């Protein structure tokens, strides 16, 4: 009897309304107008992007325009920007029929998210108490992109199972939560996290996992035919992988200290990621009978090292230390895809489309731990007196903090990011469970057909008709020719 | 009777000669040799790229090599370079069977165009009256890429309907016209147009539209089967879209003033484009019965904001001002694809393959108007006294110009770009109508087959033979094996 | 009788064991652990990436962090990094079924290679005699990427015919040989080669050609069905081509002198490559009956100019000189694909999958010659006294060297790179011939199936079933529905 009810439920859930013609435009318009109003009230150029820069220069005795922060950070900003839009976007195109959704919705939510992030981060980090304004420059843009990254990670967990409206809601709350946890971790706890192992990856990972846990679909197997990749979709995904991998040194160094800080963060990340590739390949090969490699591992686990070095990249972790972190991350992340993901799905009912647990959540936690240990182990003999102060920003209220205390606060920061991710995700997931957002039925998941006008591929298929069908095909063409000539006749007679 | 003549004409036009084995190599060789000669006569390194830089430094009391303009502009130059070759190239790969032509011919005409642009822009803007030489540096390269962009925009209108020789001719004249109108607008009228809303996009857009209007093909419907996209070609096109979108802040800031000028232009463009994405999605969703999105809009209209901020990006348009421009551009451009393009095609006989009217011409005009208004509304209270002078370059002959006058000249500049585009395009279109350029017949448009050796896809199709054909297929393979073993036998006997 | 033995051999070679489940993980793990140990012993941050930078600044009277070498070279480094991983990786995806191997193995060997290169180049170029340490900064990362490029070029010759274990072995020895020949050419002979015409391209080219000559497969025709491209694989390859082409100015200028050196190298390469495109198109069109273009030429020969300007890019070759180099390289490289490659394969038994002879070896030699001539022709009147010293680094032991002598040493350098490539490649090829590396059988070459878990494409093919099969297809679906409903029933009953 209960089975019948289940059957009925299944039947009706098939009738899900995925018409978003009202909700999507309304959300886009209303939110964008709200952004314009809030930007009008709050956001201004900072002194380095304002025409008064010429006066600032004179006032602060700056001799050259090259001292403008733009020239320190803009190349890294552009690399990060590519990671957000091409990197995350194309990484998720691996599904055979969800490339439009992967790239397109990634584009949409990132574009909304960065605006909202400028406001949220501005209110928490850089609201001028006298003028009530937020002053933005190139570093603000990078931070906004970082903030968006947290939400795009979460998108990876629910890829193919939600509507664009749900994604926008998820992004709205995700950015909000991000700004709060970031404020607690970076400002209150005064933890360091330049590349965001904790703030971005751990938070984003658990946020997405908690949401997909709440949105669990017991009948997702009905979309199983759409859940794999095809040859070319895997090649597209490698575009995303490589742009993430190549530009990760810019990601981890984008907002670190000028000079040696940016320099060292880039070197560490470069080395760490190289090491990750080798161990990922090793474990992937071990996992198959004949040693064949699995594209899922190459596409994802090779990036785990960048995640795990997010916190420690600017520290004096030393080149071989970076290699060691990458070494273990490649192993752990690949093993995650082989053993943990199936376990999460079967036992914990967490359906994690892109395996963000293995690429972001776990390596993020490792990154937090590595950061805490490296900070606690820092010494004046290695860093130099001033170097230690600069690296950990032991100034102002924190000028007497010891490295051991710093290590403790780093660890505390990681806990904060996990709690925000899990609790926040669970709450937001519940909101997204409301039956008003136009999400697809279980049997239509991972299918662009639901939200996109797809090209009519008939013509292409005619081309791929095998030789023995040529005769029939020929007939079809003949008919077409006939109708065309009819058309011509009509055309002539007119 | 007249109908019969038409019929005859149609018949003969099918016999169009698309053999370009003579014309294409001749044009390439002759023009490239001409470039070498002209470069030998005119082009030299400027003082920042010449080995005498060490003396220049001493002479001008420059303390560090980092003051070399290379370090201010090279990262932006590389981003612009990516936009020209990958951005424009891949944006046009959306057609199912014109990817080679889109990327390949884009590659060809940009490579020729940038050489010719260095000469043309050099003669007009930086010919040294004493030595008779043009001195080039990184800013010249950016300007050459900009100049090429105008012609690539025009290519979008005629995509798939012209031969590479026609494209080269179109580029030759396009660059020439560009240099003249740019000289009038920037030097004579002293209008500001750092990101080229008028100079690049308005001119390029109307130039292309006028050409395609002259080249109107009444029987283009005969190629209708080739005019759509397929799933993967749309994914390729998104690579183009995203690289254009991400690097547009570099485009609009590449040649603005050092320091705050570049900084502000990048911020404004970043914000404007984010806003455009949301309204594009909203209108695209509204345009379909069930709210589905259309890839054509996402691929194109999301970029309109960058076009429209080309002129005003360096002004103090303020962050919310940038968002507003993006807001309306997304709406207008998407509506253009829905309503205006069909109208242009049916009523005005303008066949605009990529819809450049909606992506470049219209947003370019909006950009010109926004620029004129923003300039006219500029005030010393917002810009600061020196800031106003720097931003609008009120020096030398123009030191007494008021902002209102400047606004007027901006508007005048826009008219110049439209006139040059329309008139120039009409004339060049007439030249391209000559039956000597090897353009494809109406029924062979949008088909790479005409100008490219295409890979033999037989093998791939054999792979895609459905199960019920397996037997026959098996037979084919058997036969192949047989012939191979024959071969082996022969090989053995020899 | 001998033929029979040959036949038996052929038969057994088909049974080749491509199981790499033991060797690949072992090599990856052992080598990566070795890297960690060696990095722990030898590699340290240099003074610009160490936290002691603040003291260095004070000590050397550096006023601003912007003087850190990071800001001179990091944008170029990132461009080079993209060339190595996306450029080389995607350029080789042109084969219809070897995209995973092209991108994936490129990724693997580059990631290993750059670590080994940091050590090898460090030992030869920058080992501190007092501390016994190698100090690395951003320039070291660029040099490591350059070193890797040599091995990736060699990969192009053996693409599809070797196992990943062979590739790793080839890279290990390749990097080692590279560091030695580089030391001889740059340090002992004091030749200049900023963009590596000799050191990278000539060496890498001949290294790969010698290896593939030793590994000659007389029965490679058995894989002929896999040796072509398909439409979309050619489009993917164009991504590689364009990123190589666009970023080549960064490649050639990445490690040249600060200021005018980087500036000039970028300008020269930009111009040279533009010129190459036109002549490549011209020759490609001439080579076909109806003037059609060949994608192989566009994908490869357009890059020959960048290779050939590797040595001379930083010299005062003058803009028209750069155009001339590009002009001839486009012609020679394209002719190479048309005439020389078939000759090499038939007569010299060199099976060069990607045609690296035409893209790297030949243009590299041209580059060496151009470099030698340009150096020998350098004069104080053109370079200025100090400029000449700076450009050719006529300091220390070499302060009395004349430009003519320099030209001679440049030519000597080229010979060294050829000898190292040919002899080294022959030896390494012999090692790779051992039957323990898991290389594919002749009939399984160019097929990802051997080393990759490929996605099951059945579903996609069902989609492409032509209309007349719809009925049967319908039946299949019905059956599927049936089995699904069975499943549901079972599910209900449980």
């Amino acid at each position: 009897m209960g089975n019948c009810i289940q059957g009925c439920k299944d039947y009706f859930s098939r009738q899900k309304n995925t018409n978003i013609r009202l909700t999507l435009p309304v959300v886009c318009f209303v939110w964008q107008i709200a952004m314009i109003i809030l930007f009008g009230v709050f956001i201004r150029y900072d002194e380095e992007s304002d025409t008064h820069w010429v006066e600032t220069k004179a006032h602060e005795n700056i001799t050259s325009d090259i001292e403008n922060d733009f020239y320190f950070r803009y190349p890294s900003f552009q690399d990060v920007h590519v990671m957000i839009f091409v990197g995350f976007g194309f990484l998720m195109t691996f599904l055979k029929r969800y490339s439009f959704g992967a790239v397109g919705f990634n584009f949409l939510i990132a574009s909304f998210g960065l605006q909202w992030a400028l406001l949220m981060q501005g209110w928490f980090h850089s609201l001028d108490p006298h003028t009530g304004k937020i002053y933005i420059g190139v570093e603000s843009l990078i931070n906004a992109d970082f903030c968006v990254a947290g939400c795009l990670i979460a998108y990876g967990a629910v890829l193919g199972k939600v509507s664009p409206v749900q994604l926008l809601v998820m992004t709205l709350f995700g950015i909000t939560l991000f700004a709060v946890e970031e404020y607690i971790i970076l400002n209150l706890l005064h933890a360091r996290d330049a590349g965001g192992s904790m703030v971005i990856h751990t938070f984003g990972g658990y946020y997405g996992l908690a949401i997909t846990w709440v949105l669990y679909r017991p009948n997702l197997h009905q979309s199983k035919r759409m859940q794999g990749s095809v040859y070319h979709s895997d090649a597209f995904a490698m575009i995303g992988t490589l742009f993430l991998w190549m530009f990760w040194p810019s990601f981890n160094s984008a907002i670190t200290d000028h000079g040696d800080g940016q320099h060292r963060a880039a070197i560490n990340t470069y080395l760490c990621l190289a090491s990750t590739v080798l161990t990922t390949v090793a474990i992937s090969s071990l996992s198959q009978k004949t040693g064949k490699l699995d594209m899922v591992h190459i596409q994802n686990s090779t990036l785990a090292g960048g995640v795990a070095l997010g916190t420690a990249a600017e520290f004096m972790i030393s080149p071989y230390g970076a290699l060691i972190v990458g070494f273990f991350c490649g192993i752990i992340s690949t093993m995650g895809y082989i053993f943990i993901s199936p376990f999460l799905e079967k036992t914990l009912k967490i359906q994690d489309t892109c395996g963000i647990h293995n690429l972001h959540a776990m390596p993020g936690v490792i990154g937090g731990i590595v950061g805490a240990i490296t900070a606690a182990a820092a010494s004046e003999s290695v860093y130099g007196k001033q170097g230690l102060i600069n690296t950990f920003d032991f100034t102002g209220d924190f000028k007497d903090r010891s490295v051991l205390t710093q290590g403790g606060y780093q660890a505390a920061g990681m806990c904060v990011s996990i709690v925000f991710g899990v609790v926040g995700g669970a709450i937001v997931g519940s909101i997204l469970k409301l039956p008003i957002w136009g999400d697809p039925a279980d049997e239509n998941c991972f299918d662009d057909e639901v939200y996109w006008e797809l090209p009519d591929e008939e013509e292409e298929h005619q081309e791929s008709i095998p030789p023995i069908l040529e005769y029939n095909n020929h007939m079809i063409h003949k008919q077409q020719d006939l109708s065309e000539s009819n058309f011509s006749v009509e055309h002539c007679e007119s």
Side-chain angles (χ1 to χ4, degrees), chain A:
Chain A
M1 178 71 192
N3 291 326
C4 286
I5 290 170
Q6 183 60 35
C8 293
K9 267 191 188 170
D10 285 351
Y11 180 78
F12 283 111
S13 75
R14 289 198 184 176
Q15 315 291 327
K16 274 202 171 182
N17 182 5
T18 58
N19 186 333
I20 48 171
R21 198 185 177 188
L22 184 66
T23 45
L24 184 59
V26 165
V27 168
C28 286
F29 274 129
V30 172
W31 292 12
Q32 187 57 54
I33 291 167
M35 289 300 112
I36 291 172
I37 294 167
L38 290 169
F39 268 62
V41 177
F42 288 104
I43 307 270
R44 297 291 178 271
Y45 303 119
D46 71 4
E47 58 183 12
E48 299 190 283
S49 57
D50 190 286
T51 43
H52 291 86
W53 163 248
V54 61
E55 293 154 31
T56 309
K57 270 199 301 180
H59 186 256
E60 297 185 6
N61 216 7
I62 295 168
T63 53
S64 165
D65 281 325
I66 198 88
E67 302 274 338
N68 194 304
D69 197 36
F70 182 79
Y71 301 104
F72 286 91
R73 306 211 184 273
Y74 189 70
S76 307
F77 158 68
Q78 274 296 4
D79 293 349
V80 171
H81 216 41
V82 171
M83 292 173 74
I84 298 297
F85 289 90
V86 162
F88 280 102
F90 274 90
L91 181 62
M92 297 192 285
T93 57
F94 70 98
L95 290 171
K96 65 180 74 165
R97 276 280 150 168
Y98 211 70
S99 299
F100 291 9
V103 174
F105 296 154
N106 184 81
F107 196 14
L108 171 65
I109 62 178
S111 297
F112 165 69
L114 60 86
Q115 298 178 56
W116 181 228
L118 281 171
L119 284 164
M120 281 302 303
Q121 292 185 313
W123 286 324
F124 275 98
H125 292 278
S126 57
L127 191 70
D128 187 301
H130 303 297
T131 61
K133 304 295 181 200
I134 299 159
Y135 297 96
I136 62 169
V138 66
E139 195 171 337
S140 321
L141 307 190
I142 298 171
N143 274 313
D145 272 17
F146 277 5
C147 195
V148 162
C151 295
L152 299 182
I153 291 165
Y155 180 25
V158 297
L159 182 74
K161 301 176 295 183
V162 293
S163 75
V165 183
Q166 282 178 306
L167 286 172
L168 282 166
V169 173
M170 195 174 111
T171 305
L172 179 78
F173 288 110
I175 300 282
T176 312
L177 289 162
F178 184 102
V180 177
E181 58 112 28
E182 188 190 36
Y183 178 72
I184 295 172
I185 296 170
L186 301 190
N187 294 41
L188 301 188
L189 301 178
H190 197 72
R192 303 291 285 175
D193 196 17
S197 289
M198 309 182 285
V199 169
I200 300 169
H201 298 284
T202 306
F203 166 74
Y206 285 105
Y207 182 62
L209 291 169
I211 290 175
T212 197
W213 175 71
V214 175
L215 298 181
Y216 180 66
R217 289 168 176 266
N219 297 316
L220 193 60
H221 58 80
Q222 291 174 5
S223 293
K224 209 174 169 217
R225 73 194 185 290
M226 306 300 283
Q227 222 172 338
S229 63
V230 290
Y231 196 71
H232 281 168
S233 71
D234 270 327
F236 277 115
M238 278 307 287
I239 296 174
T241 299
L242 287 176
F243 275 102
L244 286 170
W245 193 91
M246 297 178 304
F247 287 161
W248 216 295
S250 297
F251 193 91
N252 283 350
S253 71
I255 57 163
T256 52
D257 292 338
H258 288 177
D260 65 293
Q262 289 192 276
H263 204 151
R264 190 169 53 255
I267 294 173
N268 286 335
T269 311
Y270 170 91
L271 292 174
C272 181
L273 283 165
S275 175
T276 311
V277 174
L278 271 89
T279 52
T280 298
V281 166
I283 300 292
S284 183
S285 178
L286 269 178
S287 73
Q288 299 284 346
K289 265 187 197 164
T290 56
K292 289 186 184 188
L293 299 174
D294 188 329
M295 255 296 165
V296 172
H297 307 153
I298 308 300
Q299 280 161 7
N300 293 282
S301 297
T302 50
L303 300 166
V307 172
L309 215 66
T311 304
E314 58 177 334
F315 301 161
M316 292 285 283
I317 193 169
S318 84
Y320 77 93
L323 290 183
I324 291 172
V325 172
F327 186 89
F328 287 108
C329 279
I331 297 172
I332 292 168
S333 176
T334 315
M335 291 225 172
Y337 278 97
I338 300 168
F339 299 112
I340 304 179
S341 282
F343 169 80
L344 288 181
E345 179 147 4
K346 273 185 207 150
T347 315
L348 298 187
K349 311 289 184 200
I350 296 175
Q351 293 159 329
D352 176 6
T353 313
C354 295
I356 63 163
H357 180 262
N358 314 305
L359 174 47
H360 296 282
M362 245 187 340
V365 171
I366 294 171
I369 296 168
V370 168
I373 294 171
T374 325
S379 70
E380 233 175 81
S381 66
V382 171
Y383 284 74
K385 191 177 163 62
Q386 190 60 40
L388 199 65
I389 293 170
N390 290 351
T391 306
F392 295 99
D393 198 18
F394 288 155
T395 55
D397 292 348
F398 307 97
K399 74 172 190 290
D400 297 325
R401 190 183 269 191
S402 75
V403 291
L404 269 178
T405 320
Q406 180 67 26
Y409 278 105
Q410 294 283 143
M414 205 187 58
C415 299
V416 171
S417 67
I418 295 176
V419 170
F420 263 81
V422 173
V423 177
I427 296 169
V428 173
S430 310
I431 297 170
L432 296 180
K433 232 180 146 66
L434 297 175
I436 56 173
W437 306 116
D439 52 316
D442 290 342
E443 62 191 14
N444 292 325
C445 285
F446 314 116
D447 193 349
D448 272 336
E449 184 64 43
V450 184
Y451 302 114
W452 296 87
E453 287 292 313
L454 292 187
D456 182 17
E457 312 246 332
E458 202 186 322
E459 194 63 35
E460 198 188 37
H461 297 153
Q462 283 192 9
E463 282 174 28
S464 64
I465 294 166
I468 71 144
L469 293 175
E470 246 170 37
Y471 172 72
N472 306 55
N473 199 18
H474 194 229
M475 294 301 289
I476 293 167
H477 274 145
K478 244 185 167 161
Q479 249 181 312
Q480 280 185 342
D481 288 351
L482 217 64
S483 59
E484 265 182 32
S485 53
N486 282 346
F487 176 82
S488 301
V489 168
E490 279 166 41
H491 196 78
C492 277
E493 289 173 356
S494 70

